[in-house]
Amino acid sequence: MRLRCAVLDDFQNVATEVADWSVVADDVEVVSFDSHLADETALAAALADFDIVVTLRERVPFPGSLIARLPRLKLLVASGMRNSVIDYAAAEAHGVTVCGTASSSTPPVELTWALLLGLARGIVEESGALRSGGSWQSTVGADLHGRRLGLLGLGKIGGRVARVGLAFGMEVHAWSRNLTRERADEVGAELAPSLEDLLANSDFVSVHLALSDRTRGLLGPAELALLKPSAYLVNTSRAAIVDQDALLDALHSGRIAGAGVDVFDVEPLPAGHPMRTAPRLLATPHLGYVSRANYATYYGQAVEDIRAFLDGAPVRRLP
């Protein structure tokens, strides 16, 4: 009897197209879910008959209460090698193996620049006006060359964002609590003396920090008030790093020129969420990791994880 595998949040219905599942086809029946199951009761009911679950990034929490309601679950595969919404202790207690996959930093770097450039040059407004017969040249673009790019975090993604900024001729400054001058020098960035200095003196600020107790709510009302009225904020990291109410207030009041956001406090974003209608906001539905090459890695290695588990030698185990 074949095992059953659920692939969650396959919104584009590509999970079985971008990877070769034939290596497990004799042993596993794959069922793809193209809509999000946010309620734990709905998840427990939908997944009750599955032995394997492949979950996309951190879209679906797997707390101990949910794991306990899935007695058939034996393998949970998460895309990426870090997942903060899985209760690993509960998984171990219930005999559930948890495995991960590689994840490329390239897609979020590219999306960061798509948002930043879109904001700077009013791409959405101008394109919409052109297609609808509206005003010809209604905005004045913000220059990148010679302007200051402030990066919160200079890790794998932040470092690559920095190098692109330098290629545009920008002054790149960076700050995080543990950032060293040596690391800043590696990518050609200046080490900002403080968070406050970086915010007050940057023309563009981009967030590239991991979410933790120290970074949650890092940019609150007081911090956002330090930004120039002409400054733009981009967040492709985690929504909780930026106080969402404070950001909405800054956008509605015009205290900043605009924001580019790919991450939200609730995902998928509910229909009536205020982020959907906020002014001066360029928003995308968490596309940072969504690219064909990255999906091929996620699902290709998910198949490898499943095959290895079936063979009794699990790979890429988490945490």
Side-chain angles (χ1 to χ4, degrees):
M1 182 177 178
R2 291 198 300 170
L3 301 180
R4 303 191 75 217
C5 171
V7 179
L8 300 182
D9 292 334
D10 184 17
F11 301 122
Q12 301 93 348
N13 288 299
V14 296
T16 56
E17 297 177 11
V18 297
D20 180 9
W21 292 76
S22 65
V23 296
V24 297
D26 291 341
D27 303 296
V28 178
E29 174 194 0
V30 179
V31 178
S32 177
F33 290 80
D34 61 5
S35 58
H36 183 66
L37 299 169
D39 178 75
E40 184 174 310
T41 298
L43 276 163
L47 301 178
D49 296 329
F50 288 91
D51 311 274
I52 302 168
V53 173
V54 177
T55 182
L56 185 61
R57 301 302 293 149
E58 295 171 326
R59 298 283 74 72
V60 178
F62 277 83
S65 55
L66 175 58
I67 293 172
R69 298 169 72 178
L70 302 174
R72 279 187 56 169
L73 183 62
K74 293 294 179 285
L75 175 65
L76 177 59
V77 179
S79 55
M81 290 301 293
R82 181 171 59 190
N83 192 301
S84 63
V85 298
I86 295 173
D87 187 331
Y88 295 105
E92 182 177 5
H94 287 84
V96 178
T97 299
V98 184
C99 298
T101 74
S103 183
S104 172
S105 62
T106 298
V109 171
E110 294 174 351
L111 184 72
T112 294
W113 281 102
L115 290 172
L116 196 152
L117 287 165
L119 286 168
R121 301 305 298 268
I123 298 299
V124 174
E125 298 92 329
E126 295 290 4
S127 176
L130 186 148
R131 293 172 65 86
S132 64
S135 300
W136 184 264
Q137 296 184 1
S138 61
T139 65
V140 178
D143 296 285
L144 302 189
H145 186 86
R147 307 295 291 279
R148 181 173 294 187
L149 171 63
L151 299 177
L152 293 179
L154 202 61
K156 186 185 300 184
I157 294 174
R160 295 181 67 176
V161 171
R163 292 186 175 96
V164 177
L166 292 169
F168 274 115
M170 303 183 79
E171 297 178 10
V172 179
H173 290 232
W175 178 90
S176 71
R177 285 190 174 93
N178 298 319
L179 182 60
T180 64
R181 187 170 301 278
E182 290 74 20
R183 170 56 184 164
D185 288 344
E186 283 181 17
V187 298
E190 293 290 331
L191 177 62
S194 66
L195 171 62
E196 291 75 15
D197 178 87
L198 181 134
L199 295 174
N201 293 296
S202 295
D203 300 294
F204 299 86
V205 174
S206 190
V207 181
H208 302 287
L209 296 166
L211 180 61
S212 68
D213 290 340
R214 294 198 305 172
T215 62
R216 187 180 298 274
L218 180 68
L219 300 188
E223 290 75 22
L224 293 179
L226 294 172
L227 292 169
K228 301 176 182 180
S230 59
Y232 296 90
L233 175 68
V234 176
N235 187 9
T236 57
S237 182
R238 289 292 183 269
I241 296 171
V242 181
D243 184 306
Q244 299 295 282
D245 290 336
L247 176 58
L248 283 167
D249 186 51
L251 292 170
H252 279 282
S253 66
R255 288 205 305 273
I256 60 175
V261 173
D262 187 48
V263 287
F264 306 92
D265 53 356
V266 180
E267 296 184 8
L269 203 61
H273 196 286
M275 281 289 185
R276 287 187 177 268
T277 55
R280 303 176 182 85
L281 179 67
L282 176 55
T284 48
H286 206 150
L287 299 178
Y289 60 87
V290 181
S291 76
R292 182 160 292 273
N294 218 22
Y295 270 22
T297 297
Y298 287 169
Y299 295 115
Q301 292 194 3
V303 174
E304 294 175 2
D305 289 348
I306 294 169
R307 184 69 267 168
F309 173 79
L310 295 175
D311 294 338
V315 295
R316 291 185 286 267
R317 297 189 70 160
L318 298 178

